Amino acid sequence: MDFENLIEKEIDEKRQGETLSLATVKNGGKKMYIESYGCQMNFSDSEIVASILSGVGFSTTNDIEKADLVFVNTCSIREKAEQTIKKRLQVYNSIKKKKNPAMVVGVLGCMAERLKEKFLEQEKLVDIVVGPDAYRDLPNLIRQVDDGRKAVNVILSKEETYAEISPVRLGGNGVTAFVSITRGCDNMCTFCVVPFTRGRERSRNPESIVKECQQLLADGFREVTLLGQNVDSYLWHGGGLKKEFKNLSKKEQEESVSFAQLMEMVAKVSPELRIRFSTSNPQDMTDGVLHIMAKYKNICNYIHLPVQSGSNRILKKMNRGYTKEEYLQRIEKIHEILPDCAVSMDMISGFCTETEDDHKDTLDLMDKVTFDFGYMFKYSERPNTPAQRKWKDDVKEEIKQKRLAEIIEKQMAHSLLRNKETIGNTYEVLIEGISKKSTEKLYGRTPQNKVVVFDKKNQKKGTYVKVQIQDCTAATLKGKVI
Ligand code: 5AD
Ligand code: SF4
């Protein structure tokens, strides 16, 4: 496992910048090309965009030179993510000049929301700017551009969850799919741009979630990942913002649906359908969720539980809402209720004022938990976040890098240790496809989200097999079907 991979693996590094394609051409009409960056939510949103535009006659293509409409679904989480998008826009520019002068370029997602009209000034090439809550307006905006005007809609919504829109499944493996359950985030971690680009938190109607999962099962999918910035905070109370819950009557509050209840509803869709979820927040994860996970075999024993730092002083400054000790208690509870549950984290090195002692606390927390996996980043100051407004980004780049390297080194050792513990064990693996390294091998994942490679016989993609683990690296397990 190389360092780059670990550092930049936002969610699924392999899919970054992936071109999504729709197989059928409708209407013989116009073609759109869409590239997605950033978190799983962006990939899921691109499928919603494809659905909205297929409704007005657009098909998708993965040949940018033949596209009438080119979209890039953007990420603002770190400066590097935004730089990647800017470089892509330069590439689009030269394609437009040399090969496809008529192409219309649209920017979607978090960067569109952050920069708004400024995008049109900064990037002359861009014709359309659309924030994450305004995708239903795309047909109008495209019409506006056809009439010769530039178009912007970056209005954030109190209601929008795209609940009844059936995403057009793009670019995936036909076995695993994302299902969004909440939008926005109310947590206001001081380093994070997401509350500003994706707005306030709202939950999606549970019936529409269950229906989407039933449809996925009928279409041959065997795993869903329930998506939200903070899934444990899911709360359906008839629609609208989460913060409005407290204004409801006692009866209305009692009739609401929590994340644990939603998970149970989805788990009952079929024992053949695996359930995953991401992302969890330490202060919102209830024991109730852990008990539901224990009750249903098809809910995978894997929790992505970002920690960000092991120093109480830094956690407070980040507004994370828990201490190191409380985080460790959560981990203990997870292992008590779900003894074979894997846990991964997100960690940030070099947040404002972080000292060597704070960093040691982070390494100490890692030693106490021994995470199965980690996504690790250097702090990147984001414009207009509370941290940017209040404090200097005062940890030197070399120090951030050195601390990050130490965190990564430790995590690699821990990942290897955790993977070695699986040798000799047998896991139920859902086959996702042919291994990228060898056509003679298949790959899938254990419930604990570990990738397993094994010899191909006559097993089929989308089926479950029992695999005994024989060997491993820090990144992958190797096994045999038994
Ligand atoms: N700098 C570095 N990493 C960040 N993350 C969020 N904001 C920033 C930032 N400004 C990381 C956090 C979060 C993950 C999705 O991205 O670790 O959990
Ligand atoms: Fe950002 Fe914190 Fe919300 Fe995650 S929980 S999206 S880090 S504000």
Side-chain angles (χ1 to χ4, degrees):
M1 194 170 7
D2 61 342
F3 272 25
E4 244 331 274
N5 236 344
L6 273 168
I7 299 166
E8 252 319 302
K9 189 175 184 317
E10 173 64 58
I11 296 295
D12 188 345
E13 165 75 3
K14 292 186 287 305
R15 293 191 66 185
Q16 295 292 309
E18 182 175 281
T19 310
L20 306 172
S21 70
L22 227 184
T24 51
V25 178
K26 273 196 178 176
N27 267 354
K30 292 192 170 178
K31 289 195 169 63
M32 73 159 194
Y33 168 99
I34 181 163
E35 235 172 63
S36 302
Y37 292 85
C39 64
Q40 290 169 323
M41 191 66 90
N42 259 8
F43 283 76
S44 170
D45 279 359
S46 291
E47 299 185 332
I48 287 177
V49 168
S51 174
I52 290 169
L53 289 184
S54 75
V56 291
F58 276 90
S59 62
T60 60
T61 170
N62 36 24
D63 185 351
I64 187 167
E65 292 176 15
K66 298 215 169 77
D68 301 285
L69 191 55
V70 172
F71 278 131
V72 57
N73 199 348
T74 61
C75 172
S76 286
I77 200 104
R78 281 170 290 276
E79 198 185 349
K80 199 174 157 201
E82 292 203 350
Q83 282 164 356
T84 307
I85 312 278
K86 289 197 169 146
K87 280 196 209 125
R88 271 315 276 163
L89 287 171
Q90 285 170 10
V91 175
Y92 293 174
N93 208 355
S94 77
I95 294 172
K96 184 175 166 108
K97 279 195 187 127
K98 290 187 199 138
K99 307 261 169 81
N100 188 358
M103 92 190 200
V104 169
V105 176
V107 179
L108 312 175
C110 288
M111 226 173 142
E113 192 62 49
R114 195 177 81 69
L115 291 167
K116 305 185 170 55
E117 289 83 1
K118 270 188 263 165
F119 228 117
L120 298 177
E121 291 155 31
Q122 287 176 13
E123 305 281 342
K124 297 279 174 262
L125 154 91
V126 173
D127 306 291
I128 309 179
V129 178
V130 193
D133 285 347
Y135 297 144
R136 280 182 209 264
D137 198 25
L138 274 168
N140 290 326
L141 299 169
I142 292 166
R143 233 170 281 137
Q144 202 170 309
V145 171
D146 286 344
D147 291 344
R149 287 169 294 154
K150 302 245 172 185
V152 179
N153 187 345
V154 287
I155 295 170
L156 288 172
S157 164
K158 291 181 182 170
E159 308 279 338
E160 185 60 272
T161 58
Y162 301 108
E164 81 307 342
I165 292 184
S166 306
V168 173
R169 303 290 163 190
L170 303 164
N173 54 17
V175 179
T176 62
F178 300 135
V179 174
S180 87
I181 65 163
T182 69
R183 292 184 78 80
C185 185
D186 286 350
N187 275 13
M188 286 290 175
C189 301
T190 53
F191 53 80
C192 186
V193 78
V194 168
F196 305 95
T197 59
R198 288 190 164 268
R200 299 280 71 80
E201 190 180 316
R202 58 234 104 107
S203 296
R204 178 178 169 193
N205 182 333
E207 278 155 33
S208 74
I209 296 169
V210 168
K211 232 167 112 184
E212 188 174 329
C213 294
Q214 286 165 337
Q215 187 59 50
L216 283 164
L217 181 75
D219 292 341
F221 288 81
R222 290 294 173 266
E223 184 181 297
V224 293
T225 302
L226 306 179
L227 287 185
Q229 245 68 45
N230 180 1
V231 285
D232 299 284
S233 170
Y234 175 90
L235 188 63
W236 173 253
H237 55 76
L241 297 182
K242 157 104 184 219
K243 63 181 184 189
E244 282 154 12
F245 180 74
K246 59 182 185 301
N247 305 331
L248 301 179
S249 70
K250 202 155 185 280
K251 185 169 174 286
E252 282 169 322
Q253 290 193 355
E254 277 164 12
E255 283 166 0
S256 65
V257 177
S258 69
F259 182 54
Q261 289 166 315
L262 175 75
M263 284 245 280
E264 180 148 40
M265 288 164 77
V266 176
K268 282 182 178 162
V269 167
S270 164
E272 286 294 299
L273 187 71
R274 268 185 174 187
I275 323 295
R276 297 185 186 277
F277 53 91
S278 186
T279 297
S280 299
N281 261 267
Q283 73 275 36
D284 293 307
M285 172 165 257
T286 60
D287 290 353
V289 168
L290 302 176
H291 287 298
I292 292 292
M293 289 174 76
K295 185 171 165 192
Y296 291 91
K297 196 173 155 267
N298 56 334
I299 304 180
C300 293
N301 280 351
Y302 167 64
I303 299 174
H304 180 54
L305 198 66
V307 56
Q308 317 296 6
S309 171
S311 151
N312 283 336
R313 192 180 68 83
I314 294 292
L315 286 170
K316 189 148 191 262
K317 216 175 166 69
M318 288 175 161
N319 192 31
R320 287 293 292 177
Y322 54 85
T323 61
K324 177 185 184 186
E325 293 69 28
E326 284 164 345
Y327 185 89
L328 291 171
Q329 280 163 14
R330 265 294 88 206
I331 297 283
E332 234 174 73
K333 204 70 189 173
I334 290 170
H335 291 321
E336 183 190 310
I337 300 174
L338 303 163
D340 67 344
C341 188
V343 181
S344 62
M345 53 75 170
D346 288 346
M347 196 75 89
I348 297 177
S349 80
F351 187 59
C352 312
T353 76
E354 188 189 73
T355 63
E356 207 51 37
D357 278 348
D358 294 319
H359 173 59
K360 287 209 178 93
D361 282 341
T362 292
L363 297 177
D364 178 65
L365 176 128
M366 290 176 72
D367 281 331
K368 291 201 160 84
V369 179
T370 322
F371 291 100
D372 290 81
F373 199 81
Y375 304 107
M376 297 151 281
F377 314 99
K378 277 183 287 188
Y379 171 57
S380 166
E381 186 181 75
R382 307 311 296 132
N384 297 320
T385 52
Q388 186 267 330
R389 289 197 300 249
K390 286 196 265 187
W391 307 302
K392 246 181 98 190
D393 178 13
D394 59 355
V395 178
K396 285 203 190 77
E397 180 60 25
E398 320 80 91
I399 304 278
K400 282 185 189 173
Q401 184 57 51
K402 178 186 137 292
R403 290 181 188 160
L404 179 64
E406 285 173 17
I407 291 170
I408 291 173
E409 191 185 321
K410 191 173 275 302
Q411 186 50 49
M412 283 177 74
H414 286 170
S415 294
L416 183 63
L417 208 77
R418 284 293 188 202
N419 283 355
K420 277 188 176 162
E421 285 172 2
T422 68
I423 293 176
N425 294 352
T426 299
Y427 296 92
E428 185 158 80
V429 172
L430 174 61
I431 305 177
E432 292 182 27
I434 293 169
S435 159
K436 281 169 193 97
K437 289 197 182 138
S438 160
T439 52
E440 300 301 303
K441 291 186 188 294
L442 294 171
Y443 81 97
R445 278 175 299 150
T446 66
Q448 289 75 9
N449 208 32
K450 294 182 191 238
V451 174
V452 192
V453 177
F454 50 93
D455 283 342
K456 184 174 150 205
K457 296 214 174 85
N458 45 12
Q459 308 93 345
K460 283 206 192 83
K461 188 167 118 171
T463 60
Y464 292 97
V465 281
K466 292 231 182 302
V467 179
Q468 187 178 43
I469 309 305
Q470 295 173 309
D471 197 4
C472 71
T473 65
T476 318
L477 307 181
K478 290 166 197 160
K480 67 163 193 245
V481 175
I482 56 164

